Amino acid sequence: SADRYKDPSQPLNTRIDDLLGRMTLAEKIGQMSQIEREKATPDVINKYFIGSVLSGGGSVPEKNAPPEAWVGMVNGMQSGALSTRLGIPMLYGIDAVHGHGNVYKATIFPHNVGLGCTRDPELAKRIGAAVALEVRATGIPYIFAPCVAVCRDPRWGRCYESFSEHPELVQNMTSIISGFQGEIPAGGTLGVPFMAGQRNVAACSKHYVGDGGTTNGINENNTVATFHELLSIHMPPYYNAVIRGVSTVMISYSSWNGLKMHANRFLITDFLKKELRFRGFVISDWQGLDRITTPEHADYILSIKLGILAGIDMVMIPFNYTEFIDGLTLLVNNGTIPMSRIDDAVRRILRVKFTMGLFENPYADPSLTGELGKQEHRDLAREAVRKSLVLLKNGKPGDKPLLPLPKKAYGGILVAGSHANDLGSQCGGWTITWQGLTGNNLTAGTTILDGIKRAVVPGTDVVYSENPDAGFIQQNKARFDYAIVVVGEPPYAETFGDNLNLTIPAPGPAIIQNVCGSIKCVVVIVSGRPLVLEPYINTMNALVAAWLPGTEGQGVADVLFGDYGFTGKLSRTWFRSVNQLPMNVGDARYDPLFPFGFGLETQPS
Ligand SMILES: OC[C@@H]1[C@@H](O)[C@H](O)[C@@H](O)c2nc(-c3ccccc3)cn21
């Protein structure tokens, strides 16, 4: 019979059943294998029937690769997949967690901690749609986003990837999935994988489950919680993600009450697949199987057995693919893993690939390359920056408000602090490289200082000094109308961001004390999370949390100078001292410097 699986007019399950029925074990296991692009030559993809390829953080075809280079790379790999006996297209995945972060000149949006402060699910959806277009500009149809972690301790290095400590706010921001994948139309079926068309991407809600609840925020560690606490704090965003038709779910490195999530059959199969009726595919994290054992990779056969039997469908291997393929083949052939488990995994993978139209559209749409870094997307990102900033203080007690700042400053304006003129630091981790970069050469964007200079009336003297010394300040303190001090955290990702003291890195505190001690100042904090502020807050006239705004630094000036009012509200509790942590809204003992939901407002001037 003609290959019915190739006929898009056939019902979805007919296509899946027809194709599955034709597949050898090797072809099935190939579909469950995701490898890193460094290993993914067309020949390897063809020979091992590889179903998916990824770019790890910073893994690019060449430095500053243009969209065309990405398209060429992905299409080359795809040709390897389509030349196999059954011609099942491969699925290329990448972390587009605040815009297409790995790609030179992509629009970088505020990280999720800032988006949570906008309280604007519609904005998040618009951002998702824009990110989907920038990802498609590079020929990629699948992203490992959104992270729907409910970060309960800001000492966690990934707290900025979480929309909020409050599960309901995270649930509301899952609207970004409907931006990435498109909105399920009225009359459409909720709760099954959905993708509207070829200007959308398949999404991945991560990391299932409880990644944001580990002890002391230690990355990949243990989340101690009753089942009720897990369901009420960490699980809610997955209900919304599944209903919105999220195509995939990624498993967390962390453990729940001492059991590795990657080996948790109850939560992956019995709860996510059966109770929540998730119909897409479950993907491991990078070497997630290896890390089931301590030390990691100590018994890879055991890892494969536990992970696959738990219900993982696709494995982000990502390098030792022959070891994985051989190991899984052995476990099926010796009856340890039943063919029914393999068929469930492949069925889910094929459902996503058929649903997203990958069989009909395996190659990139070259007409979309112009979507990367498009001004319209940058304007959207700038709007998101404006709405994400939170005004925490505006004038000392008894003083009149300092913000909005006057655009005319007769004596001039002093701008100080490393983060005023550092595009990389304002973007944070997952930007160009995995850990992110400092400096201004990493990609295209505008720094906070650029924005300030463009906002003030022409001729206004804007003096930038990264770390002005006491002498300079004494000589000039009568000169400047006011100062803007921008300090914060360096870029980081994952474990590198774990931090138990959460102090503003030096010389930030000294700059605050030196400048604000002599000149009226507004302090802008560029960070992935709340930091220790209490010792300095009285010297500041005004204080703004800017989070990790991304490439559109002008959005900061837009609200500082009153083109737009401040509207942002804290998505996280701002603690007084790390000794209080973890401390979240709703806790019996709750004594924050600024509570969840706090944010002063200003009117546009
Ligand atoms: O980039 C792919 C995935 C990403 O989607 C996950 O959110 C994240 O947990 C992650 N960590 C690594 C990773 C960790 C350590 C060394 C090398 C890579 C890889 N990845």
Side-chain angles (χ1 to χ4, degrees):
S1 64
D3 299 342
R4 276 181 303 162
Y5 71 93
K6 289 180 180 170
D7 175 358
S9 70
Q10 292 291 324
L12 177 58
N13 286 326
T14 302
R15 300 183 78 181
I16 295 170
D17 292 341
D18 178 50
L19 180 46
L20 190 63
R22 299 165 186 264
M23 295 172 75
T24 64
L25 178 60
E27 288 163 333
K28 292 176 181 178
I29 292 177
Q31 283 304 302
M32 297 171 68
S33 304
Q34 183 181 72
I35 65 175
E36 218 286 330
R37 56 159 283 285
E38 287 173 24
K39 296 284 186 179
T41 64
D43 288 348
V44 165
I45 294 170
N46 175 283
K47 181 177 177 191
Y48 294 93
F49 312 107
I50 299 297
S52 183
V53 179
L54 88 145
S55 276
S59 179
V60 300
E62 66 198 59
K63 181 171 168 46
N64 297 349
E68 293 76 8
W70 284 92
V71 164
M73 176 189 75
V74 174
N75 282 350
M77 294 172 181
Q78 189 63 280
S79 62
L82 296 181
S83 63
T84 55
R85 179 175 74 93
L86 294 168
I88 302 172
M90 69 92 200
L91 181 63
Y92 198 103
I94 196 165
D95 296 275
V97 294
H98 63 145
H100 205 357
N102 284 305
V103 177
Y104 182 61
K105 292 196 175 178
T107 305
I108 304 299
F109 293 83
H111 266 297
N112 288 351
V113 65
L115 294 186
C117 295
T118 69
R119 296 296 198 283
D120 189 340
E122 276 310 302
L123 173 69
K125 191 186 300 183
R126 286 189 284 140
I127 290 171
V131 171
L133 285 168
E134 300 214 4
V135 173
R136 282 286 189 173
T138 61
I140 296 171
Y142 173 39
I143 61 174
F144 308 123
C147 176
V148 294
V150 181
C151 171
R152 303 290 285 177
D153 193 321
R155 291 173 292 185
W156 185 36
R158 307 193 72 168
C159 204
Y160 65 81
E161 296 185 58
S162 166
F163 289 110
S164 177
E165 68 192 37
H166 195 312
E168 271 180 54
L169 180 47
V170 180
Q171 288 183 272
N172 293 341
M173 300 308 277
T174 58
S175 57
I176 198 166
I177 294 168
S178 302
F180 290 145
Q181 301 190 152
E183 186 90 59
I184 298 174
T189 308
L190 303 184
V192 295
F194 174 79
M195 201 175 86
Q198 298 309 306
R199 296 163 63 88
N200 297 104
V201 292
C204 175
S205 45
K206 69 185 188 181
H207 310 78
Y208 185 83
V209 65
D211 51 348
T214 58
T215 303
N216 294 338
I218 302 166
N219 193 41
E220 305 188 19
N221 206 261
N222 188 33
T223 294
V224 178
T226 63
F227 187 43
H228 173 72
E229 286 165 341
L230 195 76
L231 290 189
S232 55
I233 296 169
H234 299 285
M235 193 63 81
Y238 288 91
Y239 304 138
N240 299 71
V242 169
I243 291 293
R244 286 180 178 274
V246 75
S247 301
T248 74
V249 171
M250 186 184 294
I251 303 302
S252 179
Y253 284 129
S254 57
S255 300
W256 177 46
N257 296 337
L259 177 61
K260 288 277 183 178
M261 276 307 307
H262 276 78
N264 196 316
R265 186 196 300 220
F266 167 69
L267 284 175
I268 298 174
T269 297
D270 298 341
F271 196 82
L272 178 63
K273 291 184 172 180
K274 295 206 174 94
E275 189 71 22
L276 294 193
R277 298 185 50 70
F278 174 60
R279 311 292 301 279
F281 70 77
V282 172
I283 184 168
S284 79
D285 204 333
W286 178 287
Q287 294 177 338
L289 295 194
D290 311 63
R291 298 184 197 182
I292 289 173
T293 58
T294 305
E296 66 179 47
H297 204 81
D299 182 345
Y300 197 51
I301 292 292
L302 175 65
S303 284
I304 298 171
K305 173 187 166 186
L306 294 176
I308 301 303
L309 287 180
I312 289 170
D313 303 311
M314 183 180 285
V315 175
M316 190 184 288
I317 300 169
F319 295 124
N320 52 318
Y321 52 89
T322 54
E323 188 183 9
F324 171 72
I325 291 167
D326 294 348
L328 182 49
T329 304
L330 179 139
L331 288 164
V332 174
N333 287 339
N334 72 13
T336 305
I337 295 178
M339 186 60 81
S340 59
R341 176 67 272 275
I342 301 298
D343 288 347
D344 172 57
V346 177
R347 186 178 291 281
R348 289 168 178 273
I349 293 165
L350 294 180
R351 173 173 291 118
V352 170
K353 289 185 174 182
F354 281 125
T355 299
M356 63 190 285
L358 196 61
F359 281 78
E360 287 67 51
N361 306 277
Y363 291 110
D365 176 352
S367 76
L368 293 176
T369 49
E371 292 290 332
L372 189 79
K374 200 173 172 182
Q375 188 54 45
E376 188 184 334
H377 302 161
R378 292 186 184 277
D379 293 345
L380 175 61
R382 183 171 172 177
E383 175 188 352
V385 172
R386 289 196 289 266
K387 293 180 174 176
S388 66
L389 264 57
V390 182
L391 182 56
L392 297 172
K393 181 177 183 181
N394 192 9
K396 292 186 178 180
D399 281 0
K400 65 182 179 44
L402 181 61
L403 301 178
L405 296 170
K407 293 184 177 181
K408 183 124 190 73
Y410 298 91
I413 302 166
L414 172 62
V415 180
S418 52
H419 286 54
N421 186 33
D422 189 322
L423 186 62
S425 292
Q426 75 189 48
C427 288
W430 297 101
T431 314
I432 304 302
T433 68
W434 178 38
Q435 293 297 312
L437 297 164
T438 56
N440 291 337
N441 299 323
L442 70 163
T443 190
T446 54
T447 65
I448 293 168
L449 177 62
D450 292 335
I452 293 167
K453 288 177 176 172
R454 293 180 198 175
V456 298
V457 300
T460 302
D461 191 15
V462 177
V463 174
Y464 175 59
S465 171
E466 182 176 337
N467 186 354
D469 65 32
F472 172 86
I473 289 168
Q474 283 318 313
Q475 283 158 17
N476 292 281
K477 67 182 181 182
R479 167 186 163 194
F480 294 115
D481 290 39
Y482 54 81
I484 302 170
V485 178
V486 190
V487 295
E489 293 190 292
Y492 53 79
E494 303 195 49
T495 304
F496 292 92
D498 283 3
N499 180 326
L500 295 177
N501 63 64
L502 293 182
T503 52
I504 300 174
I511 297 172
I512 292 170
Q513 305 279 40
N514 290 342
V515 172
C516 298
S518 300
I519 304 169
K520 230 177 356 177
C521 77
V522 51
V523 174
V524 179
I525 303 288
V526 174
S527 66
R529 55 201 159 182
L531 299 175
V532 173
L533 281 182
E534 193 161 47
Y536 326 111
I537 196 136
N538 291 336
T539 60
M540 304 170 187
N541 297 81
L543 169 64
V544 173
W547 316 110
L548 297 172
T551 49
E552 307 314 305
Q554 277 184 283
V556 176
D558 288 344
V559 284
L560 285 181
F561 290 95
D563 287 354
Y564 294 82
F566 278 91
T567 57
K569 304 293 179 206
L570 286 180
S571 59
R572 311 194 51 75
T573 299
W574 203 291
F575 59 85
R576 290 180 188 283
S577 153
V578 291
N579 302 325
Q580 299 176 298
L581 300 179
M583 178 173 68
N584 295 284
V585 60
D587 288 359
R589 285 190 4 268
Y590 192 67
D591 173 30
L593 185 61
F594 299 104
F596 172 86
F598 182 83
L600 300 176
E601 302 198 351
T602 56
Q603 297 308 316
S605 53

